CSV table of all heavy atoms in Angstrom, one decimal:
chain,number,residue,atom,x,y,z
A,1,GLU,N,81.6,108.6,58.7
A,1,GLU,CA,80.5,108.7,59.5
A,1,GLU,C,79.3,108.2,58.8
A,1,GLU,O,78.4,107.5,59.3
A,1,GLU,CB,80.3,110.1,60.1
A,1,GLU,CG,81.3,110.5,61.1
A,1,GLU,CD,81.5,109.6,62.2
A,1,GLU,OE1,80.4,109.2,62.8
A,1,GLU,OE2,82.6,109.3,62.6
A,2,ARG,N,79.1,108.5,57.5
A,2,ARG,CA,78.0,108.1,56.7
A,2,ARG,C,78.0,106.6,56.6
A,2,ARG,O,76.9,105.9,56.7
A,2,ARG,CB,78.0,108.7,55.3
A,2,ARG,CG,76.7,108.5,54.6
A,2,ARG,CD,76.8,109.1,53.2
A,2,ARG,NE,77.6,108.3,52.2
A,2,ARG,CZ,77.1,107.3,51.5
A,2,ARG,NH1,75.8,106.9,51.7
A,2,ARG,NH2,77.9,106.6,50.7
A,3,LEU,N,79.1,106.0,56.4
A,3,LEU,CA,79.2,104.5,56.3
A,3,LEU,C,78.9,103.8,57.6
A,3,LEU,O,78.2,102.8,57.6
A,3,LEU,CB,80.6,104.1,55.8
A,3,LEU,CG,81.0,104.5,54.4
A,3,LEU,CD1,82.5,104.2,54.1
A,3,LEU,CD2,80.1,103.8,53.4
A,4,LYS,N,79.4,104.4,58.7
A,4,LYS,CA,79.0,103.9,60.0
A,4,LYS,C,77.5,103.9,60.3
A,4,LYS,O,77.0,102.9,60.9
A,4,LYS,CB,79.7,104.7,61.2
A,4,LYS,CG,81.2,104.4,61.3
A,4,LYS,CD,81.7,105.1,62.6
A,4,LYS,CE,83.1,104.6,62.9
A,4,LYS,NZ,83.7,105.3,64.1
A,5,ASN,N,76.8,104.9,59.8
A,5,ASN,CA,75.4,105.0,60.0
A,5,ASN,C,74.6,103.9,59.1
A,5,ASN,O,73.5,103.7,59.4
A,5,ASN,CB,74.9,106.4,59.7
A,5,ASN,CG,75.4,107.4,60.7
A,5,ASN,OD1,75.6,107.0,61.9
A,5,ASN,ND2,75.6,108.6,60.3
A,6,MET,N,75.3,103.4,58.1
A,6,MET,CA,74.7,102.4,57.2
A,6,MET,C,74.7,101.1,57.8
A,6,MET,O,73.9,100.2,57.4
A,6,MET,CB,75.4,102.4,55.8
A,6,MET,CG,75.2,103.6,54.9
A,6,MET,SD,76.1,103.3,53.4
A,6,MET,CE,75.4,101.8,52.8
A,7,ILE,N,75.6,100.8,58.8
A,7,ILE,CA,75.8,99.5,59.3
A,7,ILE,C,74.6,99.0,60.1
A,7,ILE,O,74.1,99.7,61.1
A,7,ILE,CB,77.1,99.4,60.1
A,7,ILE,CG1,78.3,99.7,59.3
A,7,ILE,CG2,77.2,98.1,60.9
A,7,ILE,CD1,79.6,99.8,60.0
A,8,LYS,N,74.0,97.9,59.7
A,8,LYS,CA,72.9,97.3,60.5
A,8,LYS,C,73.2,96.0,61.1
A,8,LYS,O,72.5,95.5,61.9
A,8,LYS,CB,71.7,97.1,59.5
A,8,LYS,CG,71.3,98.2,58.7
A,8,LYS,CD,70.9,99.4,59.5
A,8,LYS,CE,70.5,100.6,58.6
A,8,LYS,NZ,70.1,101.8,59.4
A,9,SER,N,74.4,95.5,60.9
A,9,SER,CA,74.8,94.2,61.4
A,9,SER,C,76.0,94.4,62.4
A,9,SER,O,76.9,95.1,62.1
A,9,SER,CB,75.3,93.2,60.3
A,9,SER,OG,75.9,92.1,60.8
A,10,PRO,N,75.9,93.7,63.5
A,10,PRO,CA,77.0,93.8,64.5
A,10,PRO,C,78.3,93.1,64.0
A,10,PRO,O,79.4,93.3,64.7
A,10,PRO,CB,76.5,93.1,65.8
A,10,PRO,CG,75.4,92.2,65.2
A,10,PRO,CD,74.8,92.8,64.1
A,11,LEU,N,78.2,92.4,62.9
A,11,LEU,CA,79.4,91.7,62.3
A,11,LEU,C,80.2,92.6,61.5
A,11,LEU,O,81.3,92.2,61.0
A,11,LEU,CB,78.9,90.5,61.5
A,11,LEU,CG,78.1,89.4,62.3
A,11,LEU,CD1,77.6,88.3,61.4
A,11,LEU,CD2,79.0,88.8,63.5
A,12,ILE,N,79.8,93.8,61.2
A,12,ILE,CA,80.5,94.8,60.3
A,12,ILE,C,81.2,95.8,61.2
A,12,ILE,O,80.5,96.5,62.1
A,12,ILE,CB,79.6,95.5,59.4
A,12,ILE,CG1,78.8,94.4,58.5
A,12,ILE,CG2,80.4,96.5,58.5
A,12,ILE,CD1,77.8,95.0,57.6
A,13,LYS,N,82.5,96.0,61.0
A,13,LYS,CA,83.3,97.0,61.8
A,13,LYS,C,84.1,97.8,60.9
A,13,LYS,O,84.8,97.4,60.0
A,13,LYS,CB,84.2,96.2,62.8
A,13,LYS,CG,83.5,95.3,63.8
A,13,LYS,CD,84.4,94.5,64.7
A,13,LYS,CE,83.7,93.6,65.6
A,13,LYS,NZ,84.6,92.8,66.4
A,14,ILE,N,84.1,99.1,61.3
A,14,ILE,CA,85.0,100.1,60.6
A,14,ILE,C,86.0,100.5,61.7
A,14,ILE,O,85.7,101.1,62.7
A,14,ILE,CB,84.3,101.3,60.1
A,14,ILE,CG1,83.3,100.9,59.0
A,14,ILE,CG2,85.2,102.4,59.6
A,14,ILE,CD1,82.4,102.1,58.4
A,15,LEU,N,87.3,100.2,61.5
A,15,LEU,CA,88.3,100.4,62.5
A,15,LEU,C,89.1,101.7,62.3
A,15,LEU,O,89.9,102.0,63.3
A,15,LEU,CB,89.3,99.2,62.4
A,15,LEU,CG,88.7,97.8,62.6
A,15,LEU,CD1,89.8,96.7,62.6
A,15,LEU,CD2,87.9,97.7,63.9
A,16,GLY,N,89.0,102.4,61.2
A,16,GLY,CA,89.9,103.5,61.0
A,16,GLY,C,91.2,102.9,60.5
A,16,GLY,O,91.4,101.8,60.2
A,17,TRP,N,92.3,103.8,60.5
A,17,TRP,CA,93.6,103.3,60.2
A,17,TRP,C,94.3,102.7,61.4
A,17,TRP,O,94.1,103.0,62.5
A,17,TRP,CB,94.5,104.5,59.8
A,17,TRP,CG,94.1,105.0,58.4
A,17,TRP,CD1,93.5,106.3,58.1
A,17,TRP,CD2,94.2,104.3,57.2
A,17,TRP,NE1,93.3,106.4,56.8
A,17,TRP,CE2,93.7,105.2,56.1
A,17,TRP,CE3,94.7,103.0,56.8
A,17,TRP,CZ2,93.7,104.9,54.8
A,17,TRP,CZ3,94.7,102.7,55.4
A,17,TRP,CH2,94.2,103.6,54.5
A,18,VAL,N,95.1,101.6,61.1
A,18,VAL,CA,95.8,100.8,62.1
A,18,VAL,C,97.3,100.9,61.8
A,18,VAL,O,97.7,101.2,60.7
A,18,VAL,CB,95.2,99.4,62.2
A,18,VAL,CG1,93.8,99.4,62.5
A,18,VAL,CG2,95.5,98.6,60.9
A,19,SER,N,98.1,100.5,62.7
A,19,SER,CA,99.5,100.4,62.5
A,19,SER,C,99.9,99.4,61.4
A,19,SER,O,99.1,98.4,61.1
A,19,SER,CB,100.2,100.1,63.8
A,19,SER,OG,100.0,98.7,64.2
A,20,GLU,N,101.0,99.5,60.9
A,20,GLU,CA,101.5,98.5,59.9
A,20,GLU,C,101.6,97.1,60.4
A,20,GLU,O,101.2,96.1,59.7
A,20,GLU,CB,102.9,99.0,59.3
A,20,GLU,CG,102.9,100.2,58.5
A,20,GLU,CD,102.2,100.0,57.2
A,20,GLU,OE1,102.5,99.1,56.4
A,20,GLU,OE2,101.2,100.7,56.9
A,21,ASP,N,102.0,96.9,61.6
A,21,ASP,CA,102.0,95.6,62.2
A,21,ASP,C,100.6,95.0,62.4
A,21,ASP,O,100.4,93.8,62.0
A,21,ASP,CB,102.8,95.6,63.5
A,21,ASP,CG,104.3,95.8,63.4
A,21,ASP,OD1,104.8,95.6,62.3
A,21,ASP,OD2,104.9,96.2,64.4
A,22,SER,N,99.7,95.8,62.9
A,22,SER,CA,98.4,95.4,63.0
A,22,SER,C,97.7,95.1,61.7
A,22,SER,O,97.0,94.1,61.5
A,22,SER,CB,97.5,96.4,63.7
A,22,SER,OG,98.0,96.6,65.0
A,23,LEU,N,98.0,95.9,60.7
A,23,LEU,CA,97.5,95.7,59.3
A,23,LEU,C,97.9,94.3,58.8
A,23,LEU,O,97.1,93.6,58.2
A,23,LEU,CB,97.9,96.7,58.4
A,23,LEU,CG,97.5,96.6,56.9
A,23,LEU,CD1,96.0,96.7,56.8
A,23,LEU,CD2,98.1,97.7,56.0
A,24,ALA,N,99.2,94.0,59.0
A,24,ALA,CA,99.6,92.7,58.5
A,24,ALA,C,98.9,91.5,59.2
A,24,ALA,O,98.6,90.5,58.5
A,24,ALA,CB,101.2,92.6,58.8
A,25,LYS,N,98.6,91.7,60.5
A,25,LYS,CA,97.9,90.6,61.2
A,25,LYS,C,96.4,90.5,60.7
A,25,LYS,O,95.9,89.4,60.6
A,25,LYS,CB,97.9,90.9,62.7
A,25,LYS,CG,99.3,90.8,63.3
A,25,LYS,CD,99.4,91.1,64.8
A,25,LYS,CE,100.7,90.9,65.4
A,25,LYS,NZ,100.8,91.3,66.8
A,26,TYR,N,95.8,91.7,60.4
A,26,TYR,CA,94.5,91.6,59.9
A,26,TYR,C,94.4,90.8,58.5
A,26,TYR,O,93.5,90.1,58.2
A,26,TYR,CB,93.9,93.0,59.7
A,26,TYR,CG,93.3,93.5,61.0
A,26,TYR,CD1,93.9,94.5,61.8
A,26,TYR,CD2,92.0,92.9,61.5
A,26,TYR,CE1,93.4,94.9,63.0
A,26,TYR,CE2,91.5,93.4,62.6
A,26,TYR,CZ,92.2,94.4,63.4
A,26,TYR,OH,91.6,94.8,64.6
A,27,TYR,N,95.4,91.1,57.7
A,27,TYR,CA,95.5,90.3,56.4
A,27,TYR,C,95.7,88.8,56.7
A,27,TYR,O,95.1,88.0,56.1
A,27,TYR,CB,96.7,90.8,55.6
A,27,TYR,CG,96.5,92.1,54.8
A,27,TYR,CD1,97.3,93.2,54.9
A,27,TYR,CD2,95.4,92.2,53.8
A,27,TYR,CE1,97.1,94.4,54.2
A,27,TYR,CE2,95.2,93.3,53.1
A,27,TYR,CZ,96.1,94.4,53.3
A,27,TYR,OH,95.8,95.5,52.5
């Protein structure tokens, strides 16, 4: 929550944890 409150740019996203398949796609 503290990190989310630091975000000033719409280009920065915090997604939380994602599935293993999704993680591989993000990489």
